[in-house]
Amino acid sequence: MGLFEQLKKGLAKTKNGFIDKVTELVTGYKKLEPEFYDDLEAVLIQADVGVHTAMDLVEKIRCKAEKDKLETPDKVKELLKEEIAKILGEDTVPLNIPSESPAVYLVVGVNGVGKTTTIGKLAYKLKLEGKKILLVAGDTFRAAAIDQLEIWANRVGVEMLKHQEGSDPAAVAYDGIQAAKARCTDVVIIDTAGRLHNKSNLMEEIKKVRRVIERELPGAPHEVLLVLDATTGQNAIAQANLFKEATGVTSIAITKLDGTAKGGVIIGICSQLDIPVKFIGIGEKIDDLKEFEPHDFVEALFA
Amino acid sequence: MAVFSSLADKLQETFKKLRGKGKLSENDVNEAMREVRVALLEADVNFKVVKDFISRVKERAVGVEVMESLTPAQQVIKIVNEELTNLMGGVQSKINFSSRPPTIIMLVGLQGAGKTTTCGKLANLLRKQGKRPLLVAGDIYRPAAIKQLQVLGQQLNIPVFSMGNQKSPVDIVQASVEHAKNFGNDTIIVDTAGRLHINEELMGELISIKDRVKPHEILLVVDAMTGQDVVNVAESFHSKLGIDGLVLTKLDGDTRGGAALSVKAVTGCPIKFAGMGEKLDALEPFYPERMASRILGMGDILTFIEKAQANLDAEKAREMEKKLRQQQFTLEDFLDQLQQMKSMGPLEDILGMIPGLGANKHLKNFKVDEKELAHTEAIIRSMTPEERRNPNMINGSRKRRIAKGSGVSVQHVNRLLKQFSEAQKMMKHLGGLKKHSKKGKKAGFKFPFF
């Protein structure tokens, strides 16, 4: 199965729940009337695009349609595709790879979004590129989180560094970087415990982890990857903002896109945040973490 | 700290505009409802639910039912409150326990909703109610899921039944029932693997478990931050499996919690529990009517009172009251109080439940420093019993000794003593204050439904 086919399959639900609804509207209405726009807005909102982004999108389409003197909704789908493509941007933003290794990637996010799984998949991806990888078990809080990462490390066949449960995550990060320097590792991926972004004490903890990394390796972390769950609604924006404030998030991975009919959240995220989406998770298999390619994404969605 | 805080803000902002008016026209209601609509949608409440909700409130707000005792604005708040409560399921609903134990409770849901953690919390909660729970590790797919449950079991000292990840979950659950009977466990809590509601194969597995052991209660665990899709998830699990209720997790986040509003309305399944924190005792029964009050920024005084009742020693409280009345409040009592407060959970949570404080802008960013409390405790503990009873006797040299003993500076000790003397002064006025606050309440909260 080609990459594009895989993407198409992973996004099938979003397509059904979102784009196909637009198609229904377009064929259902004979004329461009106010009700059509209301219904379009409803479809967008129901796809988790977010109220404001949905209103913006509809407004833009309405303007365009008036300008072009459209009378029937046939072209609306195309307009929508254009606008969504504009929001998502053109280019794929690659992972930041420093000239001198190791590259340090810190992975953060709220509970249960799939941080550990994403790390496993990311490690697999980077290993295929021939990189030497070290995983660091920085989630010392949740029961068995370390074991979970260890299973991934074994599965992928990369090294892992761990402390005991309950130890200081900053200390684990410190050791991770020292070990990476000593072992000439290319990439260090640091797992962290899931935390709700409004818990100030936990956010302080992760700030400390970042400070320790900065101190031990100037220029690091080279990426702070925020993992967001695609089934999350508008709270995703709040998560991104607060994590950015605390840890300087540089990129986003959106997981579980295959499981939701509401992949629209990715559009809301791209329109309201200036953090690039670099990865999307579209399945449970080890190679189901894909680089986010906006162009392909839109094509797959509207295919 | 305050659950639903953003939604509460939005609604209050809207109603502030209404409050200024003496009379309410249809236009006013429409304008208010537009803002309520956006607020609810931003809160991830399902689109269709919002639509119904708005039209119901509008219908009730314009025209009929204007009572003489209320201003029209209060009337609208009242209606919104009532409808919100209705939307979330009216009254609280409980777990169905089988008359012939063991009662089997099965937790299902999407990946990362918090099933395993909820299993632990639920077991802990039920044990507090006198049950003897057995945890069953039915998630054989996710790496280390079994281990996670075992660690939780260890922390709680609750038995965990596992057969590794080679046997099928159906067999595991079946065997666990026998195990429970043999070991006298009256409640079985089954953890299952997270699965997408569209995954036929895994949904089939749940159905076989259901057919085999006939659980008395199937709870769907839902992340409170879930967006519009929550309704599809709940509907899908419900139609395939028949759910008895929901557990809403991660409600201690700043999510506006639209999921809570949507689920009941669309599926008819009540929300039975809410996960309110990372600690293993942070699972609370879900009270729809209280949650509605929270949304409207009226605080959650009921939960507060209940927490206080569960944790504060009634005997001690009576003693305290007597002391307060006789103005014999000492540092020793202060220490007692501190400890009792601590047992009620994080102070921030407690403050968030008090009406008025939830909406207080100044308190919004107010973080209680638990460390400061620990210092205070250490200082008091470094005093002799006599000093505690009679702080006036603490002179410079005693202060130095206390500071050394508790590892703080003398200024710290001074500050505490000053705070305490101020607290004492306040206690003296307490009798008067009580009356005053009652009056204040009458003036401030005219809501007859509160």
Side-chain angles (χ1 to χ4, degrees):
Chain A
M1 192 163 41
L3 271 180
F4 188 72
E5 288 304 309
Q6 250 180 314
L7 188 63
K8 233 173 104 177
K9 196 171 157 239
L11 294 175
K13 277 207 76 191
T14 304
K15 187 172 147 35
N16 289 342
F18 176 15
I19 304 301
D20 288 358
K21 291 251 166 68
V22 177
T23 312
E24 262 170 48
L25 274 187
V26 170
T27 47
Y29 277 89
K30 296 272 176 298
K31 271 183 12 191
L32 275 178
E33 44 200 332
E35 285 80 22
F36 171 79
Y37 290 114
D38 285 351
D39 283 353
L40 182 62
E41 186 187 297
V43 169
L44 289 170
I45 288 173
Q46 289 184 71
D48 272 334
V49 169
V51 168
H52 294 293
T53 311
M55 285 175 172
D56 278 359
L57 270 173
V58 170
E59 202 44 51
K60 274 183 189 147
I61 289 168
R62 196 205 307 260
C63 282
K64 260 273 180 71
E66 271 168 23
K67 214 172 114 198
D68 297 352
K69 303 209 166 49
L70 294 182
E71 285 185 358
T72 53
D74 314 335
K75 287 250 172 70
V76 166
K77 210 170 139 187
E78 244 165 79
L79 290 179
L80 182 67
K81 187 175 162 186
E82 267 171 43
E83 290 301 329
I84 289 177
K86 244 187 247 171
I87 289 176
L88 295 183
E90 268 301 303
D91 304 317
T92 310
V93 192
L95 270 181
N96 177 16
I97 299 166
S99 50
E100 248 175 82
S101 41
V104 179
Y105 301 150
L106 181 66
V107 181
V108 301
V110 302
N111 318 61
V113 290
K115 281 180 297 304
T116 309
T117 308
T118 301
I119 289 173
K121 291 177 180 173
L122 182 60
Y124 174 77
K125 200 175 170 56
L126 293 172
K127 195 178 176 228
L128 286 186
E129 293 171 15
K131 299 256 181 3
K132 188 178 174 201
I133 297 159
L134 176 69
L135 302 185
V136 178
D139 183 355
T140 55
F141 178 78
R142 205 202 67 201
I146 298 174
D147 301 73
Q148 190 182 346
L149 190 68
E150 195 159 28
I151 291 170
W152 272 107
N154 293 336
R155 202 179 275 177
V156 180
V158 294
E159 289 181 58
M160 181 180 115
L161 185 134
K162 61 172 177 179
H163 280 195
Q164 270 174 351
E165 218 169 285
S167 54
D168 179 4
V172 190
Y174 174 92
D175 278 2
I177 290 179
Q178 298 305 336
K181 282 191 208 162
R183 298 180 200 172
C184 300
T185 305
D186 298 316
V187 181
V188 185
I189 309 177
I190 303 173
D191 190 14
T192 61
R195 63 201 71 225
L196 289 172
H197 46 288
N198 60 336
K199 301 268 161 110
S200 60
N201 51 343
L202 295 178
M203 292 310 271
E204 287 301 324
E205 180 188 84
I206 202 155
K207 278 189 207 167
K208 183 182 166 195
V209 172
R210 193 193 153 100
R211 279 200 304 274
V212 167
I213 296 172
E214 277 169 0
R215 197 185 63 211
E216 288 316 304
L217 191 71
H222 305 94
E223 288 279 2
V224 178
L225 182 65
L226 172 70
V227 182
L228 294 175
D229 181 337
T231 41
T232 308
Q234 299 313 302
N235 194 247
I237 309 286
Q239 288 173 26
N241 280 328
L242 288 174
F243 269 103
K244 191 183 174 194
E245 210 173 281
T247 60
V249 172
T250 59
S251 51
I252 291 176
I254 298 180
T255 60
K256 309 182 200 173
L257 257 179
D258 55 321
T260 173
K262 314 298 181 187
V265 74
I266 197 168
I267 298 166
I269 288 169
C270 287
S271 90
Q272 295 192 30
L273 299 167
D274 52 354
I275 311 169
V277 174
K278 292 197 180 169
F279 297 100
I280 50 176
I282 52 167
E284 298 200 306
K285 288 192 295 296
I286 196 164
D287 61 349
D288 278 337
L289 185 75
K290 304 290 179 203
E291 257 160 34
F292 177 59
E293 291 172 20
H295 183 73
D296 287 0
F297 183 84
V298 176
E299 289 300 326
L301 211 53
F302 281 86
Chain B
M1 65 181 185
V3 179
F4 291 121
S5 55
S6 327
L7 182 54
D9 287 350
K10 285 256 160 61
L11 289 180
Q12 272 186 334
E13 192 57 37
T14 309
F15 289 129
K16 218 186 248 165
K17 288 180 200 156
L18 288 187
R19 259 183 205 152
K21 304 208 174 188
K23 222 174 179 185
L24 219 58
S25 68
E26 195 174 331
N27 271 346
D28 293 334
V29 174
N30 280 344
E31 194 191 326
M33 286 309 123
R34 243 196 306 279
E35 289 184 54
V36 172
R37 174 179 174 267
V38 173
L40 290 173
L41 284 174
E42 277 189 327
D44 289 321
V45 180
N46 182 268
F47 187 83
K48 290 184 190 116
V49 178
V50 173
K51 222 170 159 183
D52 288 353
F53 179 77
I54 296 292
S55 69
R56 254 203 317 274
V57 173
K58 228 188 236 173
E59 205 172 287
R60 282 186 58 187
V62 181
V64 279
E65 271 192 64
V66 176
M67 280 189 276
E68 282 180 5
S69 54
L70 292 172
T71 67
Q74 284 169 345
Q75 185 82 19
V76 174
I77 297 178
K78 180 177 180 293
I79 294 169
V80 172
N81 184 55
E82 281 172 5
E83 291 293 334
L84 276 177
T85 308
N86 277 345
L87 202 62
M88 281 189 295
V91 288
Q92 187 215 351
S93 44
K94 296 195 164 114
I95 290 256
N96 303 314
F97 284 103
S98 161
S99 52
R100 287 175 48 211
T103 300
I104 304 170
I105 303 171
M106 180 160 86
L107 274 66
V108 300
L110 299 178
Q111 294 95 335
K115 282 176 299 304
T116 310
T117 307
T118 304
C119 277
K121 287 178 176 175
L122 186 59
N124 190 25
L125 188 76
L126 293 180
R127 185 175 55 182
K128 271 192 197 154
Q129 296 170 3
K131 303 283 176 201
R132 298 196 55 213
L134 172 71
L135 289 166
V136 178
D139 180 357
I140 58 168
Y141 305 103
R142 180 167 62 97
I146 297 175
K147 180 82 189 288
Q148 187 186 351
L149 195 67
Q150 282 168 339
V151 172
L152 290 176
Q154 221 166 38
Q155 282 169 7
L156 292 164
N157 199 15
I158 287 172
V160 177
F161 182 84
S162 156
M163 292 167 76
N165 57 10
Q166 300 303 323
K167 287 254 163 42
S168 91
V170 186
D171 293 335
I172 295 174
V173 176
Q174 169 105 61
S176 77
V177 178
E178 283 312 306
H179 182 92
K181 278 180 189 157
N182 292 338
F183 287 82
N185 297 104
D186 53 11
T187 312
I188 296 176
I189 301 172
V190 182
D191 185 24
T192 61
R195 64 203 74 214
L196 294 173
H197 51 293
I198 44 160
N199 186 326
E200 295 296 336
E201 190 189 332
L202 286 176
M203 290 304 283
E205 180 190 285
L206 289 181
I207 294 167
S208 338
I209 296 179
K210 183 184 173 181
D211 290 346
R212 187 81 73 86
V213 299
K214 309 241 171 345
H216 304 91
E217 185 91 24
I218 299 177
L219 296 176
L220 176 67
V221 181
V222 176
D223 183 334
M225 295 183 279
T226 319
Q228 299 276 328
D229 210 25
V230 71
V231 164
N232 296 336
V233 173
E235 248 175 359
S236 175
F237 269 95
H238 190 45
S239 68
K240 287 180 187 141
L241 209 58
I243 295 165
D244 300 292
L246 294 113
V247 182
L248 212 59
T249 60
K250 305 180 208 171
L251 253 184
D252 51 330
D254 65 351
T255 173
R256 301 183 195 166
L261 289 168
S262 313
V263 170
K264 164 74 195 197
V266 178
T267 63
C269 297
I271 301 168
K272 296 197 172 178
F273 296 99
M276 303 293 293
E278 297 200 319
K279 301 219 175 88
L280 285 170
D281 58 358
L283 186 74
E284 296 173 4
F286 183 83
Y287 297 97
E289 71 278 17
R290 295 182 191 178
M291 210 52 111
S293 300
R294 277 227 266 240
I295 292 176
L296 290 177
M298 293 190 286
D300 186 7
I301 198 71
L302 288 168
T303 307
F304 175 69
I305 292 170
E306 226 163 62
K307 265 205 161 167
Q309 276 172 348
N311 289 291
L312 297 183
D313 195 328
E315 189 68 26
K316 273 194 176 160
R318 255 195 301 280
E319 220 173 90
M320 184 71 72
E321 201 192 325
K322 207 171 125 199
K323 278 185 177 156
L324 283 178
R325 223 179 293 128
Q326 296 170 353
Q327 293 169 19
Q328 288 172 339
F329 187 69
T330 68
L331 276 165
E332 253 171 351
D333 304 321
F334 190 53
L335 187 62
D336 256 9
Q337 264 192 339
L338 271 184
Q339 270 153 354
Q340 297 208 358
M341 285 284 276
K342 264 199 331 209
S343 65
M344 281 170 65
L347 272 178
E348 281 165 42
D349 297 357
I350 295 171
L351 286 178
M353 292 174 197
I354 301 174
L357 289 188
N360 192 320
K361 289 269 182 278
H362 299 291
L363 268 170
K364 181 150 273 177
N365 296 313
F366 174 74
K367 295 274 178 277
V368 180
D369 192 353
E370 306 263 344
K371 242 185 208 156
E372 193 62 35
L373 290 183
H375 280 162
T376 306
E377 208 183 315
I379 294 172
I380 300 177
R381 286 194 187 284
S382 299
M383 297 175 183
T384 64
E386 212 186 337
E387 284 167 347
R388 288 180 208 173
R389 279 190 290 271
N390 180 15
N392 289 332
M393 71 180 290
I394 301 177
N395 57 23
S397 119
R398 282 176 191 267
K399 274 179 197 166
R400 275 196 295 282
R401 194 203 76 243
I402 293 167
K404 250 187 203 162
S406 52
V408 299
S409 64
V410 174
Q411 283 90 330
H412 244 107
V413 180
N414 277 332
R415 212 183 310 146
L416 171 68
L417 289 173
K418 191 159 172 238
Q419 274 170 2
F420 177 69
S421 82
E422 263 161 26
Q424 256 183 332
K425 261 184 232 156
M426 212 177 80
M427 302 279 176
K428 279 185 192 164
H429 294 298
L430 204 66
L433 251 177
K434 254 185 194 160
K435 270 180 218 151
H436 184 77
S437 73
K438 256 185 199 157
K439 264 186 212 152
K441 193 174 172 186
K442 263 188 186 159
F445 298 90
K446 266 194 209 157
F447 316 125
F449 53 90
F450 186 69

